[in-house]
mmCIF file with all atom_site columns, all heavy atoms in Angstrom:
data_model
loop_
_atom_site.group_PDB
_atom_site.id
_atom_site.type_symbol
_atom_site.label_atom_id
_atom_site.label_alt_id
_atom_site.label_comp_id
_atom_site.label_asym_id
_atom_site.label_entity_id
_atom_site.label_seq_id
_atom_site.pdbx_PDB_ins_code
_atom_site.Cartn_x
_atom_site.Cartn_y
_atom_site.Cartn_z
_atom_site.occupancy
_atom_site.B_iso_or_equiv
_atom_site.pdbx_formal_charge
_atom_site.auth_seq_id
_atom_site.auth_comp_id
_atom_site.auth_asym_id
_atom_site.auth_atom_id
_atom_site.pdbx_PDB_model_num
ATOM 1  N N   . ARG A 1 207 ? 152.885 169.529 140.526 1.00 73.00 ? 207 ARG A N   1
ATOM 2  C CA  . ARG A 1 207 ? 152.572 168.111 140.480 1.00 73.00 ? 207 ARG A CA  1
ATOM 3  C C   . ARG A 1 207 ? 152.792 167.608 139.055 1.00 73.00 ? 207 ARG A C   1
ATOM 4  O O   . ARG A 1 207 ? 152.422 168.280 138.085 1.00 73.00 ? 207 ARG A O   1
ATOM 5  C CB  . ARG A 1 207 ? 151.127 167.867 140.884 1.00 73.00 ? 207 ARG A CB  1
ATOM 6  C CG  . ARG A 1 207 ? 150.849 168.124 142.349 1.00 73.00 ? 207 ARG A CG  1
ATOM 7  C CD  . ARG A 1 207 ? 149.423 167.750 142.688 1.00 73.00 ? 207 ARG A CD  1
ATOM 8  N NE  . ARG A 1 207 ? 148.467 168.490 141.878 1.00 73.00 ? 207 ARG A NE  1
ATOM 9  C CZ  . ARG A 1 207 ? 147.158 168.254 141.866 1.00 73.00 ? 207 ARG A CZ  1
ATOM 10 N NH1 . ARG A 1 207 ? 146.656 167.294 142.602 1.00 73.00 ? 207 ARG A NH1 1
ATOM 11 N NH2 . ARG A 1 207 ? 146.361 168.997 141.110 1.00 73.00 ? 207 ARG A NH2 1
ATOM 12 N N   . PRO A 1 208 ? 153.370 166.433 138.880 1.00 77.00 ? 208 PRO A N   1
ATOM 13 C CA  . PRO A 1 208 ? 153.523 165.896 137.527 1.00 77.00 ? 208 PRO A CA  1
ATOM 14 C C   . PRO A 1 208 ? 152.141 165.634 136.926 1.00 77.00 ? 208 PRO A C   1
ATOM 15 O O   . PRO A 1 208 ? 151.167 165.373 137.651 1.00 77.00 ? 208 PRO A O   1
ATOM 16 C CB  . PRO A 1 208 ? 154.299 164.599 137.744 1.00 77.00 ? 208 PRO A CB  1
ATOM 17 C CG  . PRO A 1 208 ? 154.070 164.245 139.172 1.00 77.00 ? 208 PRO A CG  1
ATOM 18 C CD  . PRO A 1 208 ? 153.913 165.535 139.899 1.00 77.00 ? 208 PRO A CD  1
ATOM 19 N N   . PRO A 1 209 ? 152.030 165.715 135.607 1.00 83.00 ? 209 PRO A N   1
ATOM 20 C CA  . PRO A 1 209 ? 150.727 165.486 134.982 1.00 83.00 ? 209 PRO A CA  1
ATOM 21 C C   . PRO A 1 209 ? 150.227 164.068 135.242 1.00 83.00 ? 209 PRO A C   1
ATOM 22 O O   . PRO A 1 209 ? 150.999 163.109 135.198 1.00 83.00 ? 209 PRO A O   1
ATOM 23 C CB  . PRO A 1 209 ? 150.998 165.732 133.492 1.00 83.00 ? 209 PRO A CB  1
ATOM 24 C CG  . PRO A 1 209 ? 152.478 165.608 133.332 1.00 83.00 ? 209 PRO A CG  1
ATOM 25 C CD  . PRO A 1 209 ? 153.073 166.038 134.629 1.00 83.00 ? 209 PRO A CD  1
ATOM 26 N N   . GLY A 1 210 ? 148.935 163.941 135.512 1.00 87.00 ? 210 GLY A N   1
ATOM 27 C CA  . GLY A 1 210 ? 148.335 162.640 135.749 1.00 87.00 ? 210 GLY A CA  1
ATOM 28 C C   . GLY A 1 210 ? 148.124 161.880 134.452 1.00 87.00 ? 210 GLY A C   1
ATOM 29 O O   . GLY A 1 210 ? 148.409 162.371 133.357 1.00 87.00 ? 210 GLY A O   1
ATOM 30 N N   . PRO A 1 211 ? 147.602 160.642 134.537 1.00 88.00 ? 211 PRO A N   1
ATOM 31 C CA  . PRO A 1 211 ? 147.449 159.806 133.328 1.00 88.00 ? 211 PRO A CA  1
ATOM 32 C C   . PRO A 1 211 ? 146.603 160.452 132.233 1.00 88.00 ? 211 PRO A C   1
ATOM 33 O O   . PRO A 1 211 ? 146.952 160.373 131.050 1.00 88.00 ? 211 PRO A O   1
ATOM 34 C CB  . PRO A 1 211 ? 146.784 158.531 133.885 1.00 88.00 ? 211 PRO A CB  1
ATOM 35 C CG  . PRO A 1 211 ? 147.172 158.499 135.327 1.00 88.00 ? 211 PRO A CG  1
ATOM 36 C CD  . PRO A 1 211 ? 147.251 159.927 135.771 1.00 88.00 ? 211 PRO A CD  1
ATOM 37 N N   . ALA A 1 212 ? 145.487 161.095 132.607 1.00 87.00 ? 212 ALA A N   1
ATOM 38 C CA  . ALA A 1 212 ? 144.626 161.709 131.592 1.00 87.00 ? 212 ALA A CA  1
ATOM 39 C C   . ALA A 1 212 ? 145.346 162.860 130.904 1.00 87.00 ? 212 ALA A C   1
ATOM 40 O O   . ALA A 1 212 ? 145.313 162.992 129.673 1.00 87.00 ? 212 ALA A O   1
ATOM 41 C CB  . ALA A 1 212 ? 143.319 162.197 132.220 1.00 87.00 ? 212 ALA A CB  1
ATOM 42 N N   . ARG A 1 213 ? 146.027 163.699 131.688 1.00 86.00 ? 213 ARG A N   1
ATOM 43 C CA  . ARG A 1 213 ? 146.747 164.832 131.103 1.00 86.00 ? 213 ARG A CA  1
ATOM 44 C C   . ARG A 1 213 ? 147.905 164.345 130.249 1.00 86.00 ? 213 ARG A C   1
ATOM 45 O O   . ARG A 1 213 ? 148.176 164.893 129.168 1.00 86.00 ? 213 ARG A O   1
ATOM 46 C CB  . ARG A 1 213 ? 147.234 165.754 132.219 1.00 86.00 ? 213 ARG A CB  1
ATOM 47 C CG  . ARG A 1 213 ? 147.862 167.048 131.728 1.00 86.00 ? 213 ARG A CG  1
ATOM 48 C CD  . ARG A 1 213 ? 146.856 167.958 131.070 1.00 86.00 ? 213 ARG A CD  1
ATOM 49 N NE  . ARG A 1 213 ? 145.920 168.549 132.004 1.00 86.00 ? 213 ARG A NE  1
ATOM 50 C CZ  . ARG A 1 213 ? 144.958 169.387 131.640 1.00 86.00 ? 213 ARG A CZ  1
ATOM 51 N NH1 . ARG A 1 213 ? 144.794 169.709 130.366 1.00 86.00 ? 213 ARG A NH1 1
ATOM 52 N NH2 . ARG A 1 213 ? 144.132 169.904 132.540 1.00 86.00 ? 213 ARG A NH2 1
ATOM 53 N N   . LEU A 1 214 ? 148.615 163.293 130.697 1.00 91.00 ? 214 LEU A N   1
ATOM 54 C CA  . LEU A 1 214 ? 149.717 162.751 129.895 1.00 91.00 ? 214 LEU A CA  1
ATOM 55 C C   . LEU A 1 214 ? 149.211 162.226 128.562 1.00 91.00 ? 214 LEU A C   1
ATOM 56 O O   . LEU A 1 214 ? 149.842 162.433 127.519 1.00 91.00 ? 214 LEU A O   1
ATOM 57 C CB  . LEU A 1 214 ? 150.421 161.632 130.660 1.00 91.00 ? 214 LEU A CB  1
ATOM 58 C CG  . LEU A 1 214 ? 151.622 162.015 131.507 1.00 91.00 ? 214 LEU A CG  1
ATOM 59 C CD1 . LEU A 1 214 ? 152.197 160.781 132.198 1.00 91.00 ? 214 LEU A CD1 1
ATOM 60 C CD2 . LEU A 1 214 ? 152.685 162.727 130.694 1.00 91.00 ? 214 LEU A CD2 1
ATOM 61 N N   . ARG A 1 215 ? 148.075 161.553 128.579 1.00 91.00 ? 215 ARG A N   1
ATOM 62 C CA  . ARG A 1 215 ? 147.520 161.064 127.316 1.00 91.00 ? 215 ARG A CA  1
ATOM 63 C C   . ARG A 1 215 ? 147.195 162.235 126.402 1.00 91.00 ? 215 ARG A C   1
ATOM 64 O O   . ARG A 1 215 ? 147.451 162.189 125.190 1.00 91.00 ? 215 ARG A O   1
ATOM 65 C CB  . ARG A 1 215 ? 146.263 160.224 127.585 1.00 91.00 ? 215 ARG A CB  1
ATOM 66 C CG  . ARG A 1 215 ? 145.671 159.641 126.303 1.00 91.00 ? 215 ARG A CG  1
ATOM 67 C CD  . ARG A 1 215 ? 144.463 158.781 126.571 1.00 91.00 ? 215 ARG A CD  1
ATOM 68 N NE  . ARG A 1 215 ? 143.900 158.301 125.303 1.00 91.00 ? 215 ARG A NE  1
ATOM 69 C CZ  . ARG A 1 215 ? 142.624 158.297 124.997 1.00 91.00 ? 215 ARG A CZ  1
ATOM 70 N NH1 . ARG A 1 215 ? 141.725 158.729 125.878 1.00 91.00 ? 215 ARG A NH1 1
ATOM 71 N NH2 . ARG A 1 215 ? 142.213 157.858 123.822 1.00 91.00 ? 215 ARG A NH2 1
ATOM 72 N N   . GLN A 1 216 ? 146.642 163.281 126.961 1.00 90.00 ? 216 GLN A N   1
ATOM 73 C CA  . GLN A 1 216 ? 146.336 164.475 126.179 1.00 90.00 ? 216 GLN A CA  1
ATOM 74 C C   . GLN A 1 216 ? 147.622 165.055 125.590 1.00 90.00 ? 216 GLN A C   1
ATOM 75 O O   . GLN A 1 216 ? 147.680 165.407 124.399 1.00 90.00 ? 216 GLN A O   1
ATOM 76 C CB  . GLN A 1 216 ? 145.636 165.498 127.061 1.00 90.00 ? 216 GLN A CB  1
ATOM 77 C CG  . GLN A 1 216 ? 145.188 166.759 126.332 1.00 90.00 ? 216 GLN A CG  1
ATOM 78 C CD  . GLN A 1 216 ? 144.816 167.860 127.300 1.00 90.00 ? 216 GLN A CD  1
ATOM 79 O OE1 . GLN A 1 216 ? 145.502 168.070 128.293 1.00 90.00 ? 216 GLN A OE1 1
ATOM 80 N NE2 . GLN A 1 216 ? 143.733 168.566 127.020 1.00 90.00 ? 216 GLN A NE2 1
#
Side-chain angles (χ1 to χ4, degrees):
R207 290 185 302 172
R213 186 68 71 180
L214 267 180
R215 182 178 177 225
Q216 184 194 42

